[in-house]
Amino acid sequence: MYEDGWIPTICYQCKAECAILARVENGVVKEVKGNPQGRDKACVKGMAGITSLYSSERLKFPMKRVGERGSGKFERISWEEAMGIMEKKLTELHERGEAHKFTYSMFPHSVTDPKWRFVNAAGGFISTGLPHCDSGKIMAMMHTFGCFPNHHIAPMYHTVPKGGLMILSGRHPFGCLDDAAVPKYILDAKERGAKLIVIDPIFRPEAAKADWWIPIKPGGDASLFLGVCHYLLTNDLYDKEFCDKWVREGDMDNLMAYIQDKTPEAMSKICDVPAADIIKLAKMAAEAPSACIDAFKSIMYGNAMDWGHAWCLFLVITGNLDNPGGQPLPEIAPMAPVEPVPPAPDVTELGYHRSGNNREKFDNYNFFLQPTWYAAQAIKDGTLKVFFASECNPALSEMGSGEWRKAVTMKDDNDDYMLELLVVTEIMPSETMKWADLVLPDQTNFERWELLYMPWWYNFGHCAALCQPVVEPIGEARHANRVFIELGQRMFPEYFAFKDDVEYYDIELSGVDMSVKELQENGGIWSPGAVGFRKYEDKGKFDTPSGKIELEWQMYKDIGQDWPSPELPQEYRRGEKDFPFILVNFRTIFLNNTGAWSQNNAQLRDPVSGLDANPCLLNPIDAKKLGVADGDTVTMESSTGSVEIPVMLTERIIPGCAGIIHGFGQTVGKVASRGSWVNDNELIADAGSTLDEQDLRGGEAHVSTRVKIYK
Ligand code: SF4
């Protein structure tokens, strides 16, 4: 059944999901490289996917818990028994009128991901399978331009013209979790004469390649860009023609009034970037033929919506929407729906996470994927009873992970777990699996079928690609999509009236006159070709209520959020005396961070070929004050928890910040549990516990906390 040779499929060592070719020899994957019909790139993590596939720690059979939750004791069971356990519990929940107390934490691979379909049919919620990175940006763009941005993939770097500005703000495309082609596109654009500006408290590989590194206080991005906007607007350096034509009547006047006191000098005091540099950046943006911003970490602070809003203001007044080198507006592949489509839950009515005091205000900040990180609070409230997880690791990789672990072991007066069923699908042992009642062995990308078209993701916004099995699956591993199609056929046959996953993808592909077989023959990729620029000109409008760009968010007026606040997130403004350092966590090319499989990859966690340490980066100026030497082990403590960690002194981090890598600290798995490397999420508060504040900023304090450091 499986052929030898270079077979097209998709990488899944991180969620960028690059199109790759796998070289198969005698039924064994030997090598991986980028698919030239895609973007022709694979990164070091992608190549190490083979190590995951053949790891001796692959989970091969379904298992159920035999000890207490968290004891990690399991026994092998059959697939039939595993399916029966899930069916019984979900049926019980439904009969109790509590179907909505079920959530599935996952990373959906398309808007019609079969797992998501199952959740809707079951009356539950999908929640994001990873810390909900940049919904602040998504919501900001939806409010301002009326469209769902192509998520992480801000600019199309291959379109940046000579002299165009590429601004990375807390974004590490050379580091991790990215389309492997992006670094090359950025460097190619530089070769053409584009300028790379990196705004970051840590000097990382992007900064080393930049024309200009701007060190900034974490959380200061909104104030920096408001200062830039002030200069552009008050010096008549903005794109007046664009704004006159496309911005809603009255918004520019109101923006002018609002921006008056956001001078570069005033904003400099917040973000610690000199006023002269704010003015320099504004002048560069005014002179450049294009400017784009790409941000990631900086949109995960507790002022995400403010930063997203300021970012949108900058794009609009510089006229950088859907132009070469600017912010692309999406075009979604027209896949066919698989009828009948199960209805989605009413999140406003049923949302389990909306338990803060400011619930009504928070309802303004709605999002169709519910953030997993309220799960701990929802379990305690009794509003979450069944939790399924795929391709995510909440016991380790979400903020307040300790709170999550505590919540899943809480019991009621009858000595029953408050969370009644916890199911995890996994490729290799993970921290979250340790707490599960049921562990289902999943397949790697070399063993499974999957259709990828994701309007919100790097690679497949405008096209679709096929992940296909290139070798026999290991043991009894089954892909989660197939499992939940089968469970759907048992429980909700009206919504699962198709044979299997391949037939499901065939129906979807009929929307573009394709089939799985044809896609295979086509090298695994479907693309409509170029989608063009300035699509709003053809349409004659934006998809906002007014048909124009809406700079002022009138729906937020009553909570004082109609314009962005320049202030730092609350998490950085309080407790400065007791916790003088801002924690900055970051990513590396060697870890996917959220998915357990790459944490446990021997090739990536190796001092020679990968990375096997995450010391705390500290500026020598701070170290001197603390009396700490390079290599010393220190205690790092926040209001939430504390960890022991060695320090590495470097001038690459600005004074006042402490940097550690996100994604370490697993206690299970031969490779992942090696060493004493710490989990940053032990220090960060569970987001649900600070919901009241986040209600008001509409933000997401994924990574925001202050710490103290002592020997
Ligand atoms: S960027 Fe991610 S998906 Fe792409 S090759 Fe690297 S690990 Fe694979």
Side-chain angles (χ1 to χ4, degrees):
M1 173 185 175
Y2 299 103
E3 290 171 15
D4 278 4
W6 286 99
I7 319 286
T9 190
I10 298 295
C11 177
Y12 199 70
Q13 286 307 293
C14 86
K15 292 170 196 289
E17 311 191 324
C18 298
I20 53 166
L21 299 177
R23 184 166 67 81
V24 179
E25 215 178 282
N26 299 322
V28 175
V29 181
K30 298 280 188 179
E31 203 180 338
V32 156
K33 66 179 181 184
N35 181 346
Q37 274 182 252
R39 299 187 188 200
D40 202 10
K41 281 277 157 201
C43 77
V44 61
K45 272 197 312 298
M47 293 175 194
I50 303 171
T51 305
S52 294
L53 168 65
Y54 296 120
S55 164
S56 60
E57 288 202 273
R58 281 291 302 273
L59 298 170
K60 298 194 178 99
F61 312 103
M63 296 187 292
K64 77 173 176 195
R65 175 175 61 81
V66 288
E68 287 288 303
R69 258 191 209 150
S71 64
K73 291 192 185 124
F74 297 97
E75 69 179 18
R76 180 178 170 179
I77 58 171
S78 67
W79 269 107
E80 182 52 34
E81 185 179 351
M83 301 298 266
I85 292 170
M86 292 188 284
E87 182 174 3
K88 184 165 173 273
K89 178 52 73 182
L90 288 173
T91 305
E92 197 184 304
L93 207 64
H94 179 72
E95 285 168 357
R96 294 199 319 239
E98 295 187 331
H100 60 285
K101 295 186 178 179
F102 159 50
T103 198
Y104 198 147
S105 182
M106 71 175 85
F107 177 76
H109 294 251
S110 71
V111 275
T112 54
D113 187 302
K115 298 187 293 302
W116 193 347
R117 182 182 189 86
F118 177 84
V119 178
N120 284 348
F125 290 94
I126 177 179
S127 44
T128 50
L130 61 165
H132 196 192
C133 319
D134 50 1
S135 70
K137 170 188 171 185
I138 294 171
M139 293 312 294
M141 292 200 179
M142 285 181 83
H143 288 323
T144 313
F145 317 135
C147 70
F148 199 109
N150 275 17
H151 205 29
H152 291 295
I153 187 158
M156 289 190 276
Y157 291 107
H158 57 283
T159 70
V160 178
K162 182 178 179 185
L165 297 190
M166 301 178 286
I167 303 172
L168 305 180
S169 192
R171 171 85 161 117
H172 309 129
F174 294 14
C176 181
L177 193 71
D178 216 319
D179 171 344
V182 165
K184 181 176 184 300
Y185 288 163
I186 290 177
L187 295 177
D188 284 351
K190 271 202 75 186
E191 283 278 298
R192 291 195 298 275
K195 296 239 173 327
L196 179 63
I197 297 171
V198 171
I199 302 166
D200 205 304
I202 307 184
F203 185 95
R204 305 196 65 233
E206 295 76 16
K209 292 286 180 191
D211 295 279
W212 185 18
W213 171 47
I214 306 178
I216 188 172
K217 195 166 191 174
D221 309 69
S223 55
L224 169 65
F225 278 87
L226 288 173
V228 168
C229 289
H230 175 281
Y231 191 84
L232 293 171
L233 289 164
T234 56
N235 288 281
D236 226 5
L237 291 173
Y238 67 101
D239 190 337
K240 194 166 182 311
E241 197 185 327
F242 177 84
C243 295
D244 284 349
K245 187 164 181 196
W246 292 109
V247 174
R248 180 176 54 188
E249 205 183 328
D251 278 25
M252 286 306 290
D253 291 341
N254 293 346
L255 173 61
M256 286 290 188
Y258 155 77
I259 207 81
Q260 283 309 313
D261 60 351
K262 310 297 178 297
T263 62
E265 291 73 22
M267 297 301 100
S268 167
K269 292 194 178 90
I270 298 172
C271 62
D272 269 0
V273 175
D277 284 348
I278 297 177
I279 293 168
K280 179 178 157 188
L281 181 58
K283 284 182 176 165
M284 285 174 81
E287 284 163 15
S290 72
C292 57
I293 303 177
D294 199 352
F296 180 57
K297 215 56 163 185
S298 65
I299 200 81
M300 294 167 77
Y301 299 133
N303 61 346
M305 285 286 268
D306 295 312
W307 168 211
H309 199 169
W311 179 352
C312 290
L313 296 179
F314 172 81
L315 290 173
V316 173
I317 66 171
T318 56
N320 276 296
L321 278 186
D322 224 17
N323 54 322
Q327 169 69 39
L329 300 180
E331 191 74 6
I332 296 166
M335 295 293 157
V338 181
E339 303 282 5
V341 178
D346 182 338
V347 291
T348 308
E349 182 66 22
L350 300 170
Y352 69 76
H353 65 283
R354 292 160 197 279
S355 49
N357 293 340
N358 294 316
R359 183 189 153 147
E360 279 175 23
K361 289 174 181 169
F362 190 63
D363 278 345
N364 284 314
Y365 176 68
N366 207 341
F367 193 67
F368 68 93
L369 304 178
Q370 302 308 301
T372 314
W373 23 272
Y374 296 122
Q377 306 304 317
I379 293 167
K380 290 180 204 163
D381 289 351
T383 51
L384 178 60
K385 295 290 181 190
V386 176
F387 188 98
F388 289 2
S390 285
E391 297 167 359
C392 62
N393 197 6
L396 178 84
S397 59
E398 291 179 18
M399 59 284 227
S401 47
E403 202 61 20
W404 187 92
R405 298 193 299 267
K406 200 159 77 191
V408 300
T409 54
M410 283 173 69
K411 293 191 170 178
D412 61 18
D413 296 341
N414 298 323
D415 208 30
D416 293 324
Y417 287 117
M418 291 176 68
L419 182 71
E420 296 170 23
L421 182 65
L422 173 48
V423 178
V424 171
T425 77
E426 230 354 315
I427 293 167
M428 283 201 268
S430 73
E431 200 67 14
T432 303
M433 166 195 145
K434 201 164 113 182
W435 309 85
D437 301 309
L438 204 54
V439 178
L440 308 178
D442 212 343
Q443 292 177 342
T444 67
N445 55 303
F446 298 110
E447 302 160 297
R448 72 195 194 209
W449 292 102
E450 195 152 30
L451 181 66
L452 301 122
Y453 84 100
M454 298 173 289
W456 51 76
W457 209 240
Y458 301 97
N459 275 315
F460 307 117
H462 301 155
C463 64
L466 187 71
C467 182
Q468 61 176 325
V470 298
V471 288
E472 288 283 353
I474 303 275
E476 291 183 10
R478 280 188 205 172
H479 186 221
N481 284 8
R482 207 160 243 203
V483 173
F484 288 96
I485 285 174
E486 200 185 313
L487 195 60
Q489 287 168 339
R490 288 163 72 130
M491 298 184 70
F492 317 105
E494 67 276 27
Y495 295 124
F496 288 85
F498 40 86
K499 193 166 97 238
D500 55 18
D501 48 357
V502 176
E503 190 170 313
Y504 184 78
Y505 302 138
D506 265 336
I507 299 169
E508 291 186 293
L509 280 166
S510 67
V512 292
D513 287 329
M514 268 272 163
S515 67
V516 167
K517 191 157 180 301
E518 284 167 324
L519 202 49
Q520 278 179 296
E521 288 162 3
N522 265 16
I525 307 227
W526 172 85
S527 169
V531 292
F533 292 110
R534 299 189 177 90
K535 297 181 281 291
Y536 51 85
E537 286 186 348
D538 293 338
K539 272 173 112 173
K541 68 180 190 69
F542 283 81
D543 288 332
T544 54
S546 65
K548 293 287 180 91
I549 293 168
E550 301 189 355
L551 299 179
E552 186 177 17
W553 295 352
Q554 289 170 353
M555 65 182 287
Y556 286 99
K557 257 198 161 117
D558 63 333
I559 54 171
Q561 287 291 99
D562 45 345
W563 294 106
S565 163
E567 296 299 335
L568 295 182
Q570 296 226 30
E571 291 79 6
Y572 295 155
R573 280 186 284 144
R574 82 179 155 216
E576 198 167 350
K577 199 161 144 281
D578 293 335
F579 300 102
F581 290 91
I582 289 179
L583 178 71
V584 185
N585 66 8
F586 59 98
R587 293 164 183 259
T588 84
I589 189 74
F590 300 107
L591 280 179
N592 171 32
N593 304 100
T594 46
W597 60 96
S598 68
Q599 291 168 7
N600 208 19
N601 185 312
Q603 198 176 338
L604 297 172
R605 286 287 297 273
D606 178 278
V608 176
S609 63
L611 178 93
D612 200 24
N614 69 336
C616 165
L617 305 186
L618 209 56
N619 190 286
I621 294 171
D622 291 325
K624 197 169 172 198
K625 285 188 208 152
L626 293 169
V628 167
D630 196 43
D632 279 356
T633 295
V634 297
T635 301
M636 193 190 277
E637 186 181 322
S638 72
S639 57
T640 299
S642 74
V643 297
E644 305 282 303
I645 187 168
V647 291
M648 179 191 271
L649 304 191
T650 172
E651 285 170 351
R652 291 177 179 228
I653 187 163
I654 62 171
C657 290
I660 57 176
I661 298 168
H662 173 62
F664 278 79
Q666 193 159 310
T667 64
V668 298
K670 270 192 223 153
V671 175
S673 60
R674 202 166 61 206
S676 58
W677 314 112
V678 307
N679 172 11
D680 53 332
N681 284 316
E682 297 296 332
L683 299 163
I684 297 164
D686 170 65
S689 65
T690 55
L691 191 57
D692 293 352
E693 292 166 20
Q694 296 193 26
D695 286 354
L696 295 175
R697 301 298 296 273
E700 306 182 318
H702 291 304
V703 294
S704 317
T705 196
R706 284 188 158 276
V707 293
K708 64 177 157 193
I709 295 169
Y710 53 90
K711 270 222 274 196

